[in-house]
Amino acid sequence: MLPESTPSGAALPSMGYQPALDGLRAVSIIGVLFYHAGFSWMHGGFFGVEVFFVVSGFLITSLLLQEFERHDRIAFGQFWMRRVRRLFPALFAMLAAVAVWAVFWGSQDQLSQLKRDFPWAIFYVGNWGQILGDVPYFAGEPPLLRHLWSLAVEEQWYLIWPLVFAALVALIPSRKVIGGLVLAASVGVMVFTFWLHSGSPTLLAGPPTLFAELDRTNFLYLSTITRSSGLLLGAGAAFLWRPWVWPKALGAPVGKILDPLGAAAVAGLCCAFAVASLVEAYVYQWLMPLVSVLSLIAVLVSVHPAAAGFRWFMSTMPLVEIGKRSYGLYLWSWPIFVIVGATDGSLDLFLLAMLITIVVSELSYRFIETPVREGVIGRWWGDRSPISWAPVAGGALLVGCLVTFYLSVGQFDRFKGGEDATFELSDAGDGAAAAPDDTDAPLVATSSPGSSTSSSSPTTTEVPAIVPASVALVGVSTANA
C-alpha cells in the first residue's frame, strides 16, 4: 500500500493550505516582474518561472497522493475541471482585453502576431507555437502573448501527469520507489538538457529528427521536454517528503537546521535572479538545475511544521496576498508592460505599468478567478432560469467578437511595411544634394504630413539612383528593413 508511514486503517492527515508556498510564489513573481521590466540588475528574474514549476510539481502530486490514499482512485474529470476553473476564465478575459486593445490601438504587426498566437494560446500550446513557428524568445519587438509559454508548459503537465501518476501507483506498490524513479527522471532531463546545449549554439540537428533545424535556445528555454525537470523534481519529492503525516514532525531534530536551510535557499534564488543571463551557456549546464534544487529545498522547508521561523516569514500577509494573486499578476503584467513600453528598464514606465497591472489583476482576482474557482458557474447552472441566460448570451457575444477579430485580421509582412514613409539620401553637410560619388551620404527617413513611423512598422523605400552609397541597417536585436 502507498501510505507506508501511517498505521493501517488510520486516517491520513491532510496537507491543508500552506501559506508559506504562497509566500514562495510571491518571491518568484516579483523576480519575474523585475525581469520583464528590463532592469539591468535583474537579468535572471526568469528563474522565477522555474520556482513555479517546482512548486506545481510538488503541490499537484501531493494532492493526487492524498486523493488516491483516501479513495483508492483518481477522479480525472474533477481534477481537470478544477484546473479549468482555476486557469481558463482569467486567460480568456486577458485574451479578449488584448484583442480589443489591438483592434483600436495596436499596429498591423501586433494584430498579425495575435492572429498567429491566439490558437496556440487558447489550447495551451504557446510554447510549441513559438518553437515550431521560429519565433525567437528574444525578438526585438516582443509579442503581446509571449509569456504564455510557461502557462502552456504547466497546463500540459496538468493534463499528462495525473495519467502517469495513476499508472505508476497501479504498477509499483512502494511510494519510495516511485519517488526515486521520478527524481531519476528529473536528473535524466537535466542531463539531456546539458547534452543538448553542448552542441552547436545555433540550430538543432537532432536526434531526434523532429527537432532538426529548430532554434536551440528557443527549444532549451521553451520546450515541455527540457522544462519538465523542475516539475518532475517537485513531483518526485512529494512521494518522499510528507511531514504533515509524520506524528513527530513538529519536534523532529531536523528542525534545528530547517530555518537556516530555507533562508539560504531563498537567498540563493535571489542571487540567481540578479546575476544570471538567459543566453549564457552556464544557465543550461548547471545553474538551471541548481535553481531547481534550491527551489525544492525552499518548498520542503515551507511545508515542514518544525521550520517555524521560515514558515512564519514566508507566511507574512504581504507575501501571501501577492502569492495568491501571482497567476493574475503574471497573466496581465506582460501585455500591459509591452503596451506601456515598460520593458527597457525605465523606472517611471515600470511604475505606471505596475499600477495598471495591480488594478487589473485585482479586478480579475476578485470578480473572475475567485468566483469561478468557488463554483459560481455550477451554482448558476443549477439555478438557471430564463433571465439567467444573459451570461450565456454575453459569452456567445464575446466568442463571436474573438472569432470575428481572428477572421478579419490579415497577415502583415514587416519587411514590406506601410506606405507612409520614404527613405532618401541626404548630404551629411550643408543639405545640398549628394554628388554621385559621395559614398558617405547617410540614409535618412522622411514621412509625409500626418504620417507616423515606428520600429514595429518598417516602411517601403524610395532611394534616389545615386550609387555607390552607404546604407545603415537599423533594428533592435534583428534589423527589420
Side-chain angles (χ1 to χ4, degrees), residues 1-4 68 167-178:
M1 295 294 292
L2 278 176
E4 299 168 354
F68 184 81
L168 289 173
V169 297
L171 297 173
I172 304 174
S174 171
R175 175 165 45 83
K176 293 180 180 179
V177 172
I178 298 175

Side-chain angles (χ1 to χ4, degrees), residues 97-151:
V98 169
V100 170
W101 177 87
V103 167
F104 291 101
W105 299 285
S107 67
Q108 287 181 313
D109 196 11
Q110 288 171 325
L111 286 169
S112 183
Q113 288 174 357
L114 289 177
K115 181 180 178 69
R116 177 197 65 204
D117 294 340
F118 260 31
W120 298 98
I122 290 172
F123 293 102
Y124 279 93
V125 286
N127 60 326
W128 291 107
Q130 293 182 52
I131 294 170
L132 300 177
D134 195 24
V135 181
Y137 186 74
F138 302 101
E141 298 160 15
L144 289 162
L145 304 182
R146 185 178 74 177
H147 65 312
L148 296 185
W149 75 269
S150 65
L151 302 182

Side-chain angles (χ1 to χ4, degrees), residues 45 61 74 192 217 221 230 233 249 256 263 297 348 357 377 394 414:
T61 306
I74 299 297
F192 172 72
T217 301
Y221 188 69
L233 192 67
K256 297 179 180 179
I297 292 172
D348 292 340
T357 297
I377 294 179
R414 66 176 62 190

Side-chain angles (χ1 to χ4, degrees), residues 5-62:
S5 59
T6 55
S8 178
L12 293 171
S14 170
M15 179 178 65
Y17 171 59
Q18 299 287 341
L21 291 181
D22 271 331
L24 189 57
R25 287 192 180 102
V27 174
S28 306
I29 191 61
I30 290 172
V32 170
L33 291 173
F34 286 151
Y35 169 70
H36 282 169
F39 291 123
S40 59
W41 44 269
M42 192 58 74
H43 282 303
F46 59 86
F47 277 133
V49 174
E50 187 67 11
V51 181
F52 280 119
F53 288 163
V54 176
V55 172
S56 294
F58 182 86
L59 187 58
I60 291 300
T61 306
S62 297

